Structure formats: structure tokens, C-alpha cells
Amino acid sequence: MALSGMRGLSVFISDIRNCHNKEQERLRVDKELGNIRTRFKNEKGLSHYEKKKYVWKMLYIHMLGYDVDFGHMETVSLISAPKYPEKQVGYIVTSCLLNENNDFLRMVINTVRNDIIGRNETYQCLALTMVGNIGGKEFSESLAPDVQKLLISSSCRPVVRKKAALCLLRLYRKNPDVVNIDGWSDRMAQLLDERDLGVLTSVMSLFVSLVSNNAEAYWNCLPKCVRILERMARNQDIPQEYTYYGIPSPWLQVKAMRALQYFPTIEDPSARRALFEVLQRILMGTDVVKNVNKNNASHAVLFEALALVMHLDAEKEMMSQCVALLGKFIAVREPNIRYLGLENMSRMLLVTDVQDIIKRHQAQIITSLKDPDISIRRRALDLLYGMCDVTNAKEIVEELLQYLNTAEFAMREELALKAAILAEKFAPNLSWYVDVILQLIDKAGDFVSDDIWYRVVQFVTNNEDLQAYAAAKAREYLDKPALHETMVKVSAYLLGEYGHLLAQRPSCSPKELFTIINDRLPTVSSSTVAIIISAYAKILMHTQPPDAGLQQQILAIFKKHESYIDVEIQQRAVEYFELSRKGPALADVLAEMPKFPERESALLKKAEDAEVDTAEQSAIKLRSQQQSSSAIVVAAQPPVNGPAPAANHLTLVKMPSQNIAEESNVIHEETAVEAPKENGAPVEVQRNVEIITEPAPVSKVEPPASRPASQADLLADLLGPLAIEGPPAAVEQTPAQGLEANQSPVGDLALATLEDQSNSVQPIVNVEEKFNILCTKDSGVLYEDPNIQIGLKAEWRAHHGRLILFLGNKNTSPLLSLRALILPPSHFKVELSSVPDTIPPRAQVQIPVEVTNLRASRDVAVLDFSYKHGAALVNAKLRLPIVLHKFLQPITLSPEDFFAHWKTWNVQSLKVQEVVRGVKPLPIPEMASLLLSLHLAVTPGLDTNPNNMVACATFFSETTNAALCLVRVETDPQDRSQLRLTVASGDQNLTFELKEYIKEHLIDIPRARVAPPAAPQQAQLPPAAPATYNDPGAMLAGLL
Amino acid sequence: MQCSFVEHRNYKVVYRRYASLFFLVGVDNDENELAILEFIHLLVETMDRHFGNVCELDIMFHLEKVHFMLEEMVMNGCIVETSKQNILAPIQLMEKTS
């Protein structure tokens, strides 16, 4: 045997096995590595056989866990060896030792390709396997078509094709474009007709990956999948070699059912019927058998069928059948089945309304919480957490508390957190909640994060009924001889704050409270000392009438701590000492803590953050961010742990342009910083000594507030509202505020968005308002609904405009059948870049739009877009803010220039005048800024009458090139609701359109259609008076 | 009896023990655990068919052959082949020619 003939390798392996300890082994390995290194250095004398032997040794050393950082070149070079055994070793060891980024791989890319396209089947297999294992982007680019050809070739044998399928999967993951070719889904459908089960198994893995990214494209394959399952379930045409303990390839069955779980539903009635028949057969026909392997294999299929049934949300009968099965599984002795039963029950809670049936198994699940196997305990904990509600919270939480005593360390933190959350969420009464948390701290103090005790403090502060109870409980705990430090913190805090409520009870006098807390002082860390010191100050304040002895004691402690090693405590001691000598001032500063604002539980957040699958949760986060931000935040939030969002061949950006992202960050930071202040909660960074002499109304030094800065984030959470809850109003500030109302006359057009009333998805922003904002700004949100956000960014240059539409998918599922069309009015040329069909989950696509302005017009382009979300087709028609003034550029003219033009255009229809009534009354400066927002530069000094304004701009269009426009507004100081508007330019159409456009912005009748220029109005005034004056002021004045 | 699945961070380890030998497979949350557990056994049976009464030493000293078998069974984390006959065909061919 050629391979086993490598004596050197065998000897080396025996040597390693004979080593008595790790140290010996390391020495032996080092010796061998040294040997190989020297041999490789003088490569000349090295035969292929020797190289092969050394490379195997390297692999063995690598498997033992040692670094092998040389010899890679020699390994890779074996791929080019002429003989099969060397080539094979080269391919296999390269796959094991190198990763796709290794530069040496580039050297062999041609050899690999030649092997793949060559006629030698065995070489093809080797090359395909290596590329399938470590092929990178470059391989993907150069080999994909060849691999595809092999996969669909009818002349290739299955042995090659099955490897080609998985090789293609690798290349597809590196570059999704490789299957982005016409008719690929038909090819896939054909491949799923394959008879050879080896090929089919590989193809199915490829298929699962394809549908997981884009199920929509592969609808045609769905019936094929069902057909495969039927074939397996009926055991038709399954070669003996592919049955495993009598079960037709369980792996293929599992994969096929997995693939079906990526299709949202199965609509085709015959496929659905066939599939349910198969599923029914699996659910009913799987029995527990003696043979472990057979049992495992059949249950592998059964669990996959369960998952598929849950996904399809099948008929009620079938669902209850599943629940019944799961109920059976969680009670069996076999730990693997029990584990999977518990796991699937948790999943079931998410999809269907089976809470009540699952509750029947509560006792059984609690038993599993005490199982010797940690995997099972974890699942049981998860399930109990998921199934908990008001009815069973008490029981479950008490179970968890009890279990806390015996649970291993690895689980305690999770347990504590979950118990705390459930207690808070489902507390039948608040005192029970306090009991639970205090017990939790007592039993598992080390595993109780600060958030948990902060939360209980919040609760007690906000519920007056609870305060005395909590203080009394805290008092009880202090009687215990050994106490966790967190318990000391929470007790000291509660007694400081509410201890005075206990004054009437036995052994609760201020003095006694002080003494019992003071017993703990010598043994605690400085963060607790700080809390205790504050508690003393509060006790002192509450002691009425003052107790001189107690005061002496407490002041002595303050004095002593003035030189404490921790400056924070020094500061407190100094301040409290001074304050307590001031008497009444103390009461002001140390007033009871104000209530905390209601907010999301930090614990829940923490639990969510710890969740394994963060996709859904980050989508929620994303949504809440978007709602409070007007910036185009269509970012894909990379899940903390999960895989990066699927790469796609489209022009995707995962983050919006940098400045926008920053903008939104800034907003959040601001609210985060400001929030605590608004709240009166004392998170103060800067401390000034004046406070001592002049007590601020804010109780500045509450215990948890002045913790070290490293905990600022937690503090902000305890003491201030969440950043997300910060007032979103601040975000919406746009310079256009004054204009919005003015622009609404055009608003009737905005109703176009509502045209399709059948839309079940409604925008969550005011589309009209967004349009108006975008008329004056060049970037912002155009449209948003629960699924998609459309942002827009525009650049204007003369008569050209370039818009970029940002379509951001807010969901974790792709948006399909995306269509966008621009219906341009005749005066625009609009080029819309191709629109992708799909937006992957939480990704954003950019669609550039090129606009050319042909002539002046007030008509607006409409974006007609639609997409599919689930089964629903969402359609909206949105006006695009390509409005007339975007093609205007303000300019300033000298009086000479102005009047020269003004006079030459004294021709009917080049200069048009109109008295406009119903104008929104505005002071002159605001009117001027309104004109400026329309890109009309008001030129002061041209008109001497302070009630009048003259403005100029250049209008760009393809027909007129740069055309000068002159505007004059004459207001009536007696009646600000009317004015006279004169517009002049060298082009009739431009003059008319511009006049109408300005009028639309001046008139203050929201939603009413602007009346066409009314003849009677014009009749009341002489048409543009022929002006012959030379003095500018006099000339204009004469017009009025 | 212990559970054959151990959760580790966001992954699971599916393992199977044969006397003093452990076979471990790391999987993500999208795998069918029992199917992987039996896939381990399929590998063991395949080795058994080739070596006859396979033991630890066979695996140790025929490292390369085990690699060849695995290459035929798994590629980049996906199952390629589950028929023992097909898995072993290339190795048998190699041994015949040499």
C-alpha cells in the first residue's frame, strides 16, 4: 500500500503516542518541525514522495494543535505534481492548512482550473473539493462558469457532479452573482429531478442556501422538493446503499424539509396536499425502537417534520398532534430526545397559540430543570422563561429561585436575570416582586448585575405603597450575619431613603438603623461605602427631633472619611459634613428622590442583547431609531453575533453615507446626554464647591448617582430615561418650518399617495410634509412605512439634477417584486437606473435618477413604486421634489442691469403682474426669507419703499439655457393678506410659470386648489404699467 | 445517559463517544442535531467497513485514509455522500492500482 508505506510517518506517530507527557510531545514535535524545515530548505534533493511524507507530518502536527507556519509553499506546489498520490496530498493538506486568503493559492489557480476542465475525473474531484472547502473570491471569479457546466452536464458522472454542486455553493457564498444568470432557477428545478441520491444530497445543500437568500426566485422548485420527500417517504426507487437502518437517507429528507421552511407558504394546493400527506405519515409512523441508530435517524426526520409543520402553521389538528408528540418527548428518558423536545416546545411558543397546552406540562418541565445534564437544564430554563405568564409566574419564579441554590456557576447569572425579568413582568403584586429580587440578591449576589438592584430601587421609588415594605424587608436582611455586598448596597439605599417610614416599628429608630448599617461599613468596598455615607446623611436629616448623640457619631464618620482614599467618598464626606452643619439646607439637598420616568426595563434589554439570534431584536432597535430620526437611517445593523447580512450582487450599501450616519448618532448622543438633566436626576459630571454654600434644588448626591464614571452608562439608565425615549421632536427641526404651511396649496397632489386605498400598509410619516421639506432641502426622507424607508438626496447643477433614492428594507425578510417607475411630466427628461427586484433584509439599495429640465413648469414628477411584503402588494405614488425653484439660482444684479432688463421686458406676457389675495400675512423679513428659500435673491436698495421687495434669479433649462428672472413683490402695510406680484423674464412660459409658482407659495389656503389667475382680479388693476421713469425708486413707486 | 448536544456560545457541539474515542462535530443553530449524530455513526460504520473492526489505532496510523473518507463525505460543512459504497470507491481504487 503506497500510503501506509510512509514509514517515517508511522514512526513519528508512534513516537508521539509514546510520549509520556505534553512536554515530551512538544520536544518531539519541535524536533520534527526542525527536520522538515531543513529538508524543505534544500528542496533540490527532495523527491515528490519525500515532500508528500513531510506534508503529512505537518498535517498531523497541525492536528495536534501546533502552529505550522512554514512549508505552505511546498504543500501547495504538490497540487501541480504530475502523479495522482502527490496531487491528492497537495489538495487535501492545502484544504486543511490554508485558508482562502493565503497568497500561495493564487499560484495554483491555473492548475486547479486545468484540473477542473480536464478530462480526468479523479483530478476534477480533487480540485472541486479543495475549491469547495477553501475557494475564495478569486476562485469564484475565474471558476464559476466551469463548475456550473460540470454540475449541469449530462455527460459527467455523479461522482463529479455532486462535488461540483457543493463547490458552486462555496463560490456562490463568495459571490452571489454566480447564479445570477437567466434561467438558473429552471436549472435548479431540473437538478432536483436528479435520480442519483448522492448528487441530490449535495444539490439540496446548494438549494437550501439559495432559497434562504431568495426564496422568491425558486418557487418553481418547491413542488420538486415535495416530490423528493414523497419519493423518500414511500421508499420508491431508493437504492439499498442510501437507506440507513431502513430509513431512506435521513440526511436528504432533513435537508429537503429544511429547504421548504424557507418558503413563506405553500400555495399550490396539490403540492400542499402531497406535503401534508408526507408529514402526516412521518408524524404518525415514527415509533420508538430499540436500535439507537434507527431511533435517532427516524427522530431526526420527525423533528424536522415538526419544525416544518410549525412553520407552515398547519391545520389545528396537526398542530395539536405536534404538541402532543412534544409532550411525550419531554417526558422520555432518552436525553437527546428530551433535549430536542424542550427546544422545539420553546420554538412552538413563538409560532402558535399553544401556551395553554404547554402549561399542562409545566411540572414535567420543572423536573427537567433539575436534570443532571446541563444542556437539558438550559433548555428547560429557556422554556420556562418563554411560557411564563401572570398565571404561573409565581410558581415558576419560585422554582427558579430554588434552583439558584444548586445551579452551577455557568448558569447562575442567566437564571438570576431571567428570574428578575419574570418577576417584574408578571408580578401578581409588587411586594412579591420586592421579595423575589431581595431573595435573588441574597442567594446569588455575585450573579446579580447592578441593573437588577437599580431596577428594584426604581420600582420602590415609583410606588409609594411599597416604600415602607421594602425598607422593612431591607431591615430584616441586615439582621443576617453574612450578607452579600449588593444586599448591603440595596439595604443601605432603601433605609436611607425610606427608613424614616419605619420609625414606629420596634428596633427601627434612626439610631438603630444607623448602628445596623454601620456594622457593615468596615467590610465593604468603596462603591458601597459611598452609598452608606449618603444613607447616613439621609438618616441624619430624617431624625426629628435631632439626636445629638447620633449626630456626633455620624459627623465623626464624615470627618474620618474626608481623607478616605477614594476621592468620591472624600467629596461626599466633606459636603455632607458641611451641609449637616447648615441644618435646613440639608433637607433641601437630600430631599426624597423624585420618581423615575417609566421606561423599558434595562433587564429586558440586557436579556435581549444576550439572545442568540439578534436579528429580530436589532430590527426592532433599528425601527425605534428610525422613528426618532429624520436622517436617512437605512443602515443594516450588523447583528452582534449573527452572520453578516447576506451579501448581494446589487448595489448595496450596508450603511448610509457617512455624514448621515453621523448625524443620527449625534442626535442620539445629544438626547442621551440631555435626558438625565431634564429629568432632574443628578448625573452630574462637574461638581462645584459653590453648591455647599448655595444648595441647588437638585438633590445632587444621591447614592447611585455619584458612582465612578465607568458605570455612567448604567447610571444613565437607572437615573435617566433611555436615549431612545428622548424627545424626538428635536430631530425634526428643519429650516423650512415656516414654509410648510405655505407650500400646502399644492397639497392636493399629495393625496396621490393615498390613491390606492387597498394598501394595507400605510405610511408612517406624513408624506406631504416630507415632500414639502424636501422641496427646500436636498436630502431627507421621502416616504416611510413599516417595511421600507425611502430617502432622497439630490444635487443640482444648472438644468441637470441628480437624485439618489435610498430604498431601505427595515425588515428581517426581503422585500420582493420591487418596482419603481417615474412618471415624468413633459418638461423633464428623467432617467431612472435599473431597479433591483429585491431588497435583502435590512439592506439598502440606491437608485440614481438623472433629471434634465427642458423648460419651466410647475408639474411634478411622480414616483410610482410598489413592492411585495409577504403576500401583500404595497403601492404608493409619491411626488418627487423636483420643483421649479431647484433650477433657479439666486443672483444679485446692479440697479443698472436690473432696470435695463426690467424695461426691455415691458411687453405683454414677458412681464406679468397680478394682485394676489389671501396671502399668508408675513412680516417683510420673513417674506424675504421665503423668497430666498425659493432661490430668489432679494436685492435690498433697489426698491426704496420698505414694503416692497425685488428679487432676481437665473433659471436653467435646456431650451432657455440660463434665463434671468426678475420678481417684484409689493405689499400693502394696511392689509398684509394681499400683495401685488410682478414677474418678468425673457420667456413667456417661464414668466407665467414662475409667477404661478411663487403665488402657490404665498397663498395661505392649505389644500385648496390654487385658482387659475382670476380675470376679475386682474381687471381691477392696470396691467403692467409702462414705466418710463429713470429714478429707480420713483419708477417702482409709480407702479403701485 | 448524557445528552449528546452541548451548547457553546452560538454553536452546538454534537458528540458521540465510542469507548475512549470521542467524535465531535460543531454545528450552528440551523442543523438537525440527531441527523449529525447519526452522520458520526455513518462515518464510524464506513471506517469499520474499510478497516474491519475499526479501532483507534487504525484511525491514528491511517490518518490519510480517514482524511480521504471524510473528503468523500463532507465538503465545506455540507454532506456530499452517504453511501458507504460510493465513499469507499476511490480509496479502494487507489489501493488496487498501487
Side-chain angles (χ1 to χ4, degrees):
Chain A
M1 285 193 293
L3 293 156
S4 304
M6 292 185 288
R7 250 191 69 78
L9 179 60
S10 297
V11 169
F12 175 58
I13 293 174
S14 334
D15 282 358
I16 291 290
R17 288 179 61 81
N18 290 335
C19 289
H20 292 294
N21 54 43
K22 198 75 196 163
E23 185 53 25
Q24 275 187 359
E25 181 188 295
R26 204 181 53 75
L27 286 174
R28 181 68 187 89
V29 166
D30 282 347
K31 184 179 155 205
E32 195 62 41
L33 285 176
N35 177 30
I36 299 171
R37 207 190 291 261
T38 356
R39 293 308 307 266
F40 277 159
K41 262 194 195 137
N42 314 316
E43 215 193 309
K44 285 208 181 93
L46 226 54
S47 67
H48 279 304
Y49 166 77
E50 280 171 305
K51 261 199 208 172
K52 184 180 83 177
K53 188 176 70 182
Y54 292 132
V55 165
W56 273 120
K57 281 187 184 170
M58 280 166 50
L59 180 63
Y60 184 67
I61 293 171
H62 170 77
M63 284 171 62
L64 289 174
Y66 296 90
D67 263 349
V68 181
D69 50 7
F70 66 95
H72 294 172
M73 165 89 153
E74 287 77 8
T75 311
V76 172
S77 69
L78 278 176
I79 289 176
S80 315
K83 279 218 238 127
Y84 181 76
E86 279 83 32
K87 197 185 251 307
Q88 183 191 33
V89 173
Y91 271 121
I92 290 183
V93 180
T94 298
S95 300
C96 294
L97 288 183
L98 306 191
N99 70 24
E100 65 177 72
N101 300 318
N102 195 296
D103 283 337
F104 290 134
L105 286 177
R106 248 181 240 144
M107 297 179 348
V108 286
I109 207 159
N110 271 330
T111 316
V112 174
R113 177 151 194 268
N114 287 335
D115 282 344
I116 285 179
I117 59 179
R119 292 287 164 84
N120 187 325
E121 204 170 67
T122 43
Y123 288 7
Q124 282 179 320
C125 287
L126 287 177
L128 288 170
T129 309
M130 188 202 73
V131 177
N133 282 326
I134 57 166
K137 198 136 184 101
E138 277 172 58
F139 281 89
S140 189
E141 278 155 15
S142 54
L143 298 179
D146 301 320
V147 176
Q148 248 162 20
K149 235 178 265 161
L150 291 182
L151 174 58
I152 55 184
S153 150
S154 54
S155 57
C156 261
R157 285 211 308 145
V159 65
V160 177
R161 292 178 56 221
K162 67 189 179 192
K163 300 204 163 162
L166 288 175
C167 184
L168 187 63
L169 168 59
R170 171 95 190 182
L171 303 182
Y172 165 72
R173 284 179 180 158
K174 295 293 144 196
N175 173 15
D177 272 345
V178 303
V179 298
N180 190 24
I181 48 175
D182 272 349
W184 183 252
S185 64
D186 294 333
R187 294 271 160 77
M188 274 318 286
Q190 275 169 28
L191 285 168
L192 291 174
D193 280 335
E194 176 67 43
R195 305 311 297 170
D196 183 275
L197 290 190
V199 177
L200 202 49
T201 307
S202 300
V203 165
M204 197 55 90
S205 287
L206 172 64
F207 181 62
V208 166
S209 187
L210 293 175
V211 287
S212 69
N213 282 320
N214 182 5
E216 192 71 16
Y218 295 96
W219 278 112
N220 57 335
C221 299
L222 194 148
K224 308 276 181 182
C225 251
V226 176
R227 179 74 202 96
I228 292 168
L229 282 172
E230 275 186 290
R231 177 181 161 195
M232 312 278 281
R234 302 219 174 100
N235 204 345
Q236 289 170 337
D237 181 24
I238 309 291
Q240 183 55 36
E241 268 298 304
Y242 283 98
T243 54
Y244 181 80
Y245 289 89
I247 298 158
S249 177
W251 302 283
L252 179 54
Q253 291 197 52
V254 162
K255 268 275 183 260
M257 285 193 270
R258 187 55 60 108
L260 288 173
Q261 287 168 53
Y262 286 106
F263 290 97
T265 57
I266 296 180
E267 274 155 11
D268 176 7
S270 68
R272 195 177 165 92
R273 200 175 329 107
L275 179 61
F276 275 97
E277 223 171 88
V278 171
L279 290 173
Q280 189 68 47
R281 195 192 277 246
I282 297 172
L283 293 187
M284 301 295 289
T286 309
D287 298 317
V288 178
V289 291
K290 266 242 170 74
N291 183 304
V292 182
N293 301 310
K294 181 173 182 154
N295 209 35
N296 282 340
S298 65
H299 280 80
V301 174
L302 177 56
F303 274 110
E304 205 59 49
L306 277 170
L308 183 54
V309 171
M310 278 190 257
H311 169 76
L312 294 173
D313 211 355
E315 289 78 12
K316 225 178 156 89
E317 200 185 321
M318 209 156 178
M319 287 304 259
S320 50
Q321 215 176 327
C322 291
V323 184
L325 270 173
L326 290 177
K328 208 174 87 190
F329 292 153
I330 62 167
V332 298
R333 268 193 63 238
E334 218 284 292
N336 292 338
I337 307 282
R338 193 139 41 97
Y339 171 92
L340 293 171
L342 290 167
E343 184 177 45
N344 280 283
M345 227 179 218
S346 296
R347 276 188 204 158
M348 194 143 215
L349 279 173
L350 300 177
V351 285
T352 46
D353 190 23
V354 288
Q355 196 107 6
D356 289 334
I357 316 179
I358 290 179
K359 268 193 218 162
R360 283 184 224 148
H361 301 287
Q362 190 170 314
Q364 183 59 47
I365 299 165
I366 287 175
T367 320
S368 288
L369 192 60
K370 295 157 190 161
D371 197 274
D373 192 294
I374 183 168
S375 296
I376 290 178
R377 287 198 301 269
R378 275 186 201 282
R379 285 297 113 223
L381 173 60
D382 222 43
L383 179 54
L384 283 175
Y385 178 71
M387 66 190 278
C388 191
D389 64 14
V390 195
T391 60
N392 54 11
K394 232 175 141 168
E395 203 182 330
I396 289 182
V397 170
E398 273 152 26
E399 269 314 323
L400 296 186
L401 282 178
Q402 209 192 339
Y403 174 43
L404 203 49
N405 290 328
T406 50
E408 58 270 84
F409 290 131
M411 265 179 89
R412 283 198 187 179
E413 182 163 7
E414 194 189 351
L415 248 172
L417 185 65
K418 288 193 161 160
I421 290 171
L422 293 179
E424 178 184 331
K425 242 170 137 180
F426 303 115
N429 56 62
L430 291 169
S431 51
W432 176 78
Y433 169 72
V434 172
D435 285 349
V436 167
I437 302 297
L438 293 182
Q439 272 189 59
L440 203 60
I441 297 173
D442 185 37
K443 284 184 171 165
D446 282 342
F447 302 94
V448 172
S449 58
D450 282 339
D451 313 60
I452 294 182
W453 83 263
Y454 290 172
R455 190 74 182 152
V456 80
V457 165
Q458 277 178 26
F459 252 87
V460 173
T461 308
N462 288 6
N463 292 287
E464 279 162 34
D465 307 342
L466 213 52
Q467 292 166 353
Y469 178 81
K473 274 277 165 194
R475 171 72 190 77
E476 276 174 35
Y477 273 105
L478 282 177
D479 279 335
K480 290 182 90 170
L483 212 51
H484 192 272
E485 192 167 327
T486 305
M487 189 56 109
V488 177
K489 281 183 192 169
V490 78
S491 302
Y493 184 89
L494 289 173
L495 288 177
E497 205 64 34
Y498 308 112
H500 60 282
L501 301 174
L502 306 178
Q504 307 308 322
R505 307 193 189 186
S507 59
C508 287
S509 72
K511 180 140 186 133
E512 281 160 312
L513 292 183
F514 163 74
T515 316
I516 199 160
I517 296 175
N518 205 31
D519 284 348
R520 307 283 170 180
L521 189 59
T523 57
V524 293
S525 69
S526 57
S527 64
T528 312
V529 171
I531 293 174
I532 291 182
I533 297 249
S534 295
Y536 290 168
K538 293 223 166 190
I539 290 177
L540 196 57
M541 175 194 72
H542 283 302
T543 311
Q544 296 302 340
D547 173 339
L550 178 63
Q551 191 178 17
Q552 271 336 94
Q553 266 180 301
I554 291 181
L555 287 182
I557 290 171
F558 288 162
K559 201 75 206 157
K560 189 176 141 204
H561 283 84
E562 278 176 10
S563 53
Y564 195 79
I565 188 148
D566 185 311
V567 284
E568 166 69 38
I569 289 164
Q570 270 186 33
Q571 177 115 21
R572 285 186 194 212
V574 171
E575 290 179 7
Y576 293 148
F577 186 79
E578 289 299 323
L579 280 170
S580 41
R581 292 204 312 193
K582 290 213 173 280
L586 189 64
D588 270 348
V589 180
L590 296 179
E592 193 170 291
M593 281 292 282
K595 288 194 174 172
F596 294 93
E598 281 307 315
R599 79 188 71 163
E600 185 198 348
S601 163
L603 304 186
L604 268 176
K605 252 178 63 195
K606 191 172 170 176
E608 277 168 7
D609 289 346
E611 290 277 298
V612 175
D613 180 8
T614 52
E616 196 58 37
Q617 170 245 348
S618 55
I620 294 166
K621 254 192 213 159
L622 188 70
R623 210 163 301 141
S624 51
Q625 277 176 3
Q626 283 171 340
Q627 275 162 4
S628 63
S629 160
S630 67
I632 317 176
V633 186
V634 199
Q637 273 221 338
V640 185
N641 298 315
N648 200 296
H649 54 280
L650 305 170
T651 49
L652 290 184
V653 280
K654 283 188 189 119
M655 295 295 287
S657 58
Q658 198 57 35
N659 55 343
I660 291 167
E662 275 164 16
E663 192 184 326
S664 69
N665 282 341
V666 169
I667 290 161
H668 285 293
E669 274 163 29
E670 275 169 10
T671 40
V673 173
E674 278 167 14
K677 284 188 215 150
E678 283 164 23
N679 208 4
V683 181
E684 286 188 18
V685 182
Q686 136 206 41
R687 312 175 140 263
N688 38 14
V689 194
E690 283 135 39
I691 274 191
I692 294 174
T693 50
E694 193 181 12
V698 179
S699 52
K700 172 167 154 279
V701 269
E702 282 309 319
S706 331
R707 303 277 307 275
S710 64
Q711 301 198 349
D713 49 346
L714 290 176
L715 291 177
D717 195 66
L718 175 64
L719 297 168
L722 293 175
I724 284 172
E725 291 173 343
V731 180
E732 286 287 332
Q733 281 169 3
T734 68
Q737 270 170 348
L739 277 174
E740 285 166 23
N742 292 340
Q743 293 186 338
S744 42
V746 245
D748 52 346
L749 276 171
L751 295 175
T753 47
L754 299 175
E755 193 178 76
D756 190 353
Q757 292 291 350
S758 64
N759 277 1
S760 54
V761 176
Q762 292 297 329
I764 55 173
V765 291
N766 183 338
V767 175
E768 188 191 331
E769 195 180 288
K770 293 290 177 200
F771 170 79
N772 287 334
I773 292 172
L774 282 170
C775 282
T776 51
K777 275 174 72 180
D778 279 335
S779 68
V781 173
L782 182 66
Y783 171 86
E784 183 168 356
D785 68 25
N787 307 316
I788 195 169
Q789 187 189 50
I790 304 184
L792 181 136
K793 214 176 156 184
E795 276 173 22
W796 308 95
R797 190 159 300 148
H799 60 281
H800 291 293
R802 182 182 164 81
L803 281 73
I804 300 174
L805 293 169
F806 298 87
L807 309 188
N809 181 353
K810 295 157 67 176
N811 282 324
T812 47
S813 54
L815 293 179
L816 308 168
S817 305
L818 185 68
R819 241 168 284 282
L821 244 160
I822 292 183
L823 315 169
S826 57
H827 68 287
F828 288 143
K829 245 184 1 217
V830 175
E831 277 172 51
L832 179 70
S833 308
S834 70
V835 181
D837 191 56
T838 342
I839 314 180
R842 285 177 288 123
Q844 190 193 59
V845 295
Q846 296 185 359
I847 307 176
V849 181
E850 302 286 345
V851 182
T852 311
N853 186 27
L854 302 177
R855 60 194 151 73
S857 167
R858 284 164 298 137
D859 294 339
V860 193
V862 172
L863 169 71
D864 182 353
F865 94 102
S866 61
Y867 64 88
K868 256 195 188 154
H869 176 65
L873 181 77
V874 182
N875 173 268
K877 293 190 175 60
L878 303 168
R879 289 181 303 155
L880 290 175
I882 316 174
V883 285
L884 195 143
H885 78 257
K886 301 274 183 186
F887 302 102
L888 284 176
Q889 246 173 38
I891 52 160
T892 318
L893 288 185
S894 67
E896 296 76 43
D897 287 342
F898 180 87
F899 287 109
H901 287 105
W902 190 256
K903 273 185 280 179
T904 36
W905 290 335
N906 260 339
V907 187
Q908 185 83 33
S909 74
L910 283 188
K911 187 191 275 175
V912 179
Q913 193 168 67
E914 186 182 331
V915 173
V916 185
R917 296 180 201 283
V919 173
K920 187 183 179 192
L922 285 177
I924 295 294
E926 277 184 38
M927 181 83 79
S929 62
L930 189 150
L931 288 179
L932 191 63
S933 75
L934 300 178
H935 296 186
L936 293 161
V938 174
T939 319
L942 270 180
D943 196 326
T944 46
N945 184 339
N947 288 313
N948 297 350
M949 260 176 294
V950 177
C952 320
T954 316
F955 177 76
F956 294 92
S957 71
E958 204 171 70
T959 48
T960 59
N961 292 322
L964 188 66
C965 310
L966 307 176
V967 177
R968 182 165 188 238
V969 179
E970 294 151 292
T971 63
D972 180 352
Q974 261 78 54
D975 181 2
R976 290 240 168 251
S977 70
Q978 65 169 352
L979 51 77
R980 185 159 70 169
L981 175 66
T982 314
V983 177
S985 80
D987 179 273
Q988 285 185 22
N989 172 54
L990 172 59
T991 303
F992 176 77
E993 292 290 332
L994 182 61
K995 182 202 72 182
E996 290 298 313
Y997 186 73
I998 297 172
K999 209 168 77 184
E1000 282 171 0
H1001 285 82
L1002 290 172
I1003 291 180
D1004 179 29
I1005 313 168
R1007 300 199 183 270
R1009 175 128 194 124
V1010 179
Q1017 284 181 359
Q1018 268 181 338
Q1020 285 170 0
L1021 283 158
T1028 49
Y1029 308 92
N1030 281 325
D1031 169 49
M1035 186 167 81
L1036 287 163
L1039 295 175
L1040 197 65
Chain B
M1 251 204 309
Q2 274 194 317
C3 189
S4 313
F5 320 128
V6 180
E7 297 175 14
H8 179 71
R9 305 228 177 96
N10 293 338
Y11 296 93
K12 287 179 186 174
V13 173
V14 178
Y15 75 96
R16 203 158 175 158
R17 181 181 174 165
Y18 295 85
S20 61
L21 260 192
F22 283 87
F23 289 76
L24 276 74
V25 184
V27 297
D28 60 19
N29 278 314
D30 278 336
E31 266 318 328
N32 184 309
E33 296 88 345
L34 282 176
I36 298 300
L37 190 64
E38 283 319 297
F39 191 67
I40 294 176
H41 190 69
L42 179 72
L43 170 66
V44 173
E45 285 189 353
T46 309
M47 290 191 292
D48 197 61
R49 186 184 282 194
H50 182 72
F51 295 113
N53 239 336
V54 67
C55 69
E56 189 188 339
L57 292 180
D58 292 321
I59 300 175
M60 274 294 167
F61 285 97
H62 299 95
L63 174 71
E64 72 286 353
K65 284 190 198 155
V66 177
H67 266 284
F68 298 154
M69 279 179 225
L70 264 179
E71 282 255 310
E72 291 298 317
M73 293 178 75
V74 194
M75 231 174 109
N76 198 28
C78 298
I79 297 176
V80 194
E81 184 58 83
T82 56
S83 146
K84 288 174 212 136
Q85 198 176 308
N86 290 348
I87 296 167
L88 293 174
I91 301 180
Q92 281 158 355
L93 194 71
M94 253 173 352
E95 293 190 347
K96 228 185 266 169
T97 52
S98 63

